[in-house]
Amino acid sequence: PSLAHPCIFCGVGYDVSEGMGAATNYLGRFTFCKALIHAAVCLLIYNRKVADRNLLNLIIGLVILFVTITIPVELSGRWITLLWAGEAALLFWISRKGKTSFYEYMAYPVMIFAFFSLLDDWSSYTSTPEVYTQLSPVLNMEFLSSIIASGFFGFLVYTDYRTDYPTALKRSGLIFDLIVLLIPVLFILSLYNTFRLEIWNYWMSSYVESESVNVTYPGEIIRNDNLLKFRDMWMLNYSALFLVLLSLVNSKWLKIVRLRWFSFGLNLFLLMFFLTIGLYELSELRVAYLNPELNGFEPGISHILIRYISILFFGLLLFATGVYVLKDDVKRDLKIPFELTLVVSICWVLSSELLHWLDFADSASSYKLGLSIFWGVYSLALIVLGIWKKKKYLRVTAIVLFGATLIKLF
């Protein structure tokens, strides 16, 4: 009943104001006044010590609830995100400082509200292509609000991993495991997407501004589609760099086991994405460079340089993944799959590089003789390495590749 009465009163007040026209402008103030009334009651009970701790916590919870409701009612857009994120950080800090589980339980739903509000902010300024041209790179309110919200989530991570601020929650069970993952995941996702959207917006702005009239068919409006491929490649490059930094920071300082496996899986997924979609996009940029008439826009040397920049980023990603796998506390069973992944990745990239230069040489036998000879030499090198290092799986991989080469020849 203590919880139902104020909620029913608030609901009735909202319903009455809906039918009073101008009264809807005061809904936020009405809710905030409810929070002030409960805060006054809470202060009175605390000073006179006339109630137990549970009742006091209930009234404090109502104060927090009505303040949280007031924010979206009275404000809009990014301000909701910032205030909710700040409120979550404050509640979490108070809970850890005072070793009180009640405030920590209150902080978690507010964190989730803040994150979903951040998602809504991001979707609102990437809804139409024309919006991109109105945003200055980095120096725009959307980026600044996102980085501040990410800073609040970062403060939560910092507070969570301070040894002098231990949690008062029960340290076991599924709920605790999910809570432990929640804070770093929200921080990683918010930080990653903040910069990702800036890269996305920059290239989309360039794409929109490249609009021109088709010389071949006057009256037709065209845009430089190669800029979309540059966008995709820089998104991949940024993702690789982000995961490299995440892997190295966690490996050297944080040492969070759950985060290790999470980022390890993401590293492998992004690597496969680069070997398939990424290398294909790079080949499309090469074709555009060699055949400028296909797109109607003059290509530049950046169409070729982006290839080696991307390979460098994904070489760093392989290195960071290797740092995880070669740690002493990692199961030996994972080292074999990683070495096989490394062998396949090197073969894949070198094959792509061979086709790249044969295409520049205008060779007609790129896929016939070029790849077959390279795969044969690579298989032989793997067999030698497998015998030298006494690794059976490398020899088996070499035999499979050589067999594929023979089938390809036939």
Side-chain angles (χ1 to χ4, degrees):
S2 300
L3 179 62
H5 291 163
C7 293
I8 292 173
F9 177 76
C10 187
V12 171
Y14 269 65
D15 185 64
V16 170
S17 63
E18 286 292 330
M20 297 178 63
T24 55
N25 298 327
Y26 298 93
L27 287 176
R29 297 167 206 181
F30 167 73
T31 311
F32 187 67
C33 286
K34 287 281 296 175
L36 290 179
I37 292 170
H38 284 87
V41 173
C42 178
L43 185 61
L44 181 64
I45 292 175
Y46 179 79
N47 288 333
R48 297 192 176 185
K49 297 180 174 59
V50 294
D52 62 12
R53 187 67 188 178
N54 291 331
L55 180 58
L56 187 63
N57 285 340
L58 175 62
I59 299 175
I60 293 174
L62 288 172
V63 175
I64 296 171
L65 174 65
F66 286 120
V67 168
T68 304
I69 294 174
T70 301
I71 292 172
V73 172
E74 191 67 20
L75 302 172
S76 61
R78 65 181 76 94
W79 296 110
I80 298 175
T81 304
L82 294 179
L83 287 175
W84 272 348
E87 182 185 357
L90 179 62
L91 287 172
F92 194 78
W93 181 80
I94 291 173
S95 70
R96 292 300 179 88
K97 186 75 173 177
K99 297 179 175 58
T100 307
S101 60
F102 173 76
Y103 293 108
E104 187 166 344
Y105 279 121
M106 294 293 294
Y108 288 115
V110 181
M111 289 180 206
I112 297 173
F113 293 158
F115 182 72
F116 278 98
S117 179
L118 188 59
L119 292 178
D120 184 65
D121 294 342
W122 288 334
S123 65
S124 65
Y125 73 90
T126 57
S127 54
T128 58
E130 288 70 22
V131 173
Y132 302 118
T133 58
Q134 302 170 7
L135 296 173
S136 302
V138 179
L139 298 178
N140 59 79
M141 287 303 300
E142 285 73 16
F143 173 77
L144 294 177
S145 61
S146 296
I147 202 68
I148 292 172
S150 300
F152 281 125
F153 287 124
F155 176 78
L156 290 169
V157 173
Y158 170 75
T159 305
D160 188 35
Y161 286 97
R162 283 188 60 171
T163 56
D164 54 337
Y165 285 168
T167 180
L169 302 181
K170 184 180 179 182
R171 296 175 176 269
S172 62
L174 178 61
I175 294 178
F176 181 77
D177 291 339
L178 292 175
I179 285 175
V180 169
L181 282 175
L182 177 65
I183 299 175
V185 166
L186 290 183
F187 172 61
I188 291 168
L189 290 178
S190 60
L191 186 64
Y192 167 78
N193 216 38
T194 294
F195 290 95
R196 184 193 71 85
L197 284 175
E198 280 302 300
I199 297 172
W200 179 281
N201 290 340
Y202 171 79
W203 287 107
M204 288 302 297
S205 175
S206 301
Y207 174 68
V208 173
E209 291 174 349
S210 70
E211 185 177 288
S212 63
V213 178
N214 193 337
V215 178
T216 307
Y217 302 99
E220 180 184 354
I221 302 299
I222 59 172
R223 288 173 177 168
N224 190 355
D225 292 334
N226 289 328
L227 293 175
L228 298 181
K229 297 179 177 63
F230 276 104
R231 177 203 64 190
D232 296 339
M233 290 313 305
W234 278 110
M235 296 293 290
L236 283 174
N237 292 342
Y238 164 69
S239 299
L241 178 62
F242 188 89
L243 289 179
V244 167
L245 294 176
L246 177 63
S247 300
L248 296 179
V249 168
N250 187 44
S251 178
K252 188 172 180 62
W253 291 292
L254 298 180
K255 299 180 181 178
I256 306 171
V257 177
R258 293 181 181 87
L259 184 57
R260 175 191 299 174
W261 298 118
F262 176 71
S263 60
F264 179 75
L266 287 178
N267 289 359
L268 294 182
F269 173 77
L270 188 64
L271 178 64
M272 293 306 300
F273 203 84
F274 168 73
L275 293 177
T276 52
I277 306 300
L279 288 178
Y280 176 76
E281 292 279 283
L282 291 174
S283 67
E284 290 287 296
L285 288 172
R286 179 185 70 247
V287 171
Y289 180 81
L290 295 175
N291 305 279
E293 69 280 357
L294 295 178
N295 185 255
F297 292 86
E298 189 66 27
I301 193 63
S302 58
H303 285 61
I304 305 303
L305 292 179
I306 184 65
R307 177 182 187 83
Y308 299 101
I309 294 172
S310 300
I311 291 174
L312 173 63
F313 276 113
F314 281 86
L316 292 174
L317 185 64
L318 275 172
F319 170 76
T321 308
V323 169
Y324 270 159
V325 172
L326 297 177
K327 275 189 165 294
D328 295 334
D329 58 341
V330 176
K331 293 182 179 179
R332 183 177 178 81
D333 295 342
L334 285 178
K335 296 181 181 180
I336 294 177
F338 171 73
E339 289 187 6
L340 290 175
T341 302
L342 181 62
V343 166
V344 171
S345 299
I346 292 174
C347 180
W348 202 318
V349 172
L350 290 179
S351 299
S352 175
E353 189 66 12
L354 177 63
L355 293 175
H356 176 75
W357 286 107
L358 288 176
D359 200 13
F360 267 97
D362 199 20
S363 173
S365 58
S366 301
Y367 289 90
K368 292 182 180 180
L369 293 179
L371 279 182
S372 300
I373 294 172
F374 170 70
W375 287 353
V377 173
Y378 194 81
S379 302
L380 180 61
L382 273 185
I383 291 177
V384 173
L385 182 63
I387 295 173
W388 177 37
K389 295 292 184 180
K390 298 180 180 179
K391 294 182 177 180
K392 181 180 177 181
Y393 56 89
L394 289 182
R395 300 196 298 270
V396 172
T397 303
I399 293 171
V400 171
L401 179 59
F402 191 74
T405 305
L406 292 177
I407 294 173
K408 177 180 176 299
L409 282 174
F410 284 108

